[in-house]
Amino acid sequence: MSHLHIRSAQPDDVGLIIGFIRELAEYEKLSDQVVADPAQMLEHLFGARPFAEVLIGEVDGTAAGFALFFHNYSTFLGKPGIYLEDLYVRSSARGTGLGTALLGKLASLAVERGCGRLEWSVLDWNEPAIDFYKRLGAQPLDDWTQYRLTGPALHVLGQRSV
């Protein structure tokens, strides 16, 4: 049986985190979209104003997965929440329970921090992930559509502010 350990990422983990992000992007067929820069990542995760946190999952002492998350806020609940941006477990560690351990740690943090929910998005073709999440008791939000504003459209709208 494998020994699993979940720890908070440290500044010297930035290279590892970017490596995980690239592996995840390759799995999701989105490698061309990864432009993350190590110096920028270091500042955003560990600088004066951190924007996100990372958990590193280890199997038998070797880093094999990660979860990158940040807080959001539910006005309806009147409570903070945790949004899971990325969850990734290397194929060699799938089936060890590491994904469940990472999500379990996030759920524990959400409870400790008084959060009302833990949420994330999943690509609609990623059936293994969808099945995994459903086995944990997660429910899809079929009546919600996610929108995104990036690049030139983001800048154009930003220039409209008063």
Side-chain angles (χ1 to χ4, degrees), residues 1 3 15 28 31 38 41 51 53 59 61 63 70 81 87 91 93 109 114 117 127 144:
M1 177 140 182
H3 173 72
E28 293 181 337
S31 294
M41 182 78 64
F51 291 103
E53 299 174 63
V59 178
F70 53 88
L87 175 68
S91 60
L109 286 173
R117 60 188 177 200
E127 288 297 328
W144 290 86

Side-chain angles (χ1 to χ4, degrees), residues 57-68:
E58 299 175 343
V59 178
D60 297 328
T62 301
F66 85 120
L68 186 145

Side-chain angles (χ1 to χ4, degrees), residues 9 13 23 25 27-28 37 48 50 68 79 114 121 151 157 159:
D13 288 317
E23 290 176 37
Y27 174 78
E28 293 181 337
D37 169 84
L68 186 145
K79 292 182 176 187
S121 298
L157 184 59
Q159 292 172 353

Side-chain angles (χ1 to χ4, degrees), residues 104-125:
K105 179 63 175 174
L106 278 174
S108 174
L109 286 173
V111 171
E112 287 172 23
R113 295 176 183 186
C115 296
R117 60 188 177 200
L118 168 61
E119 55 192 352
W120 60 90
S121 298
V122 61
L123 291 166
D124 58 8
W125 59 261

Side-chain angles (χ1 to χ4, degrees), residues 86-99:
D86 289 334
L87 175 68
Y88 176 73
V89 174
R90 287 185 170 145
S91 60
S92 61
R94 292 183 193 143
T96 64
L98 187 60

Side-chain angles (χ1 to χ4, degrees), residues 37-51:
D37 169 84
Q40 188 178 51
M41 182 78 64
L42 183 66
E43 177 63 26
H44 290 166
L45 295 178
F46 303 103
R49 184 177 178 203
F51 291 103

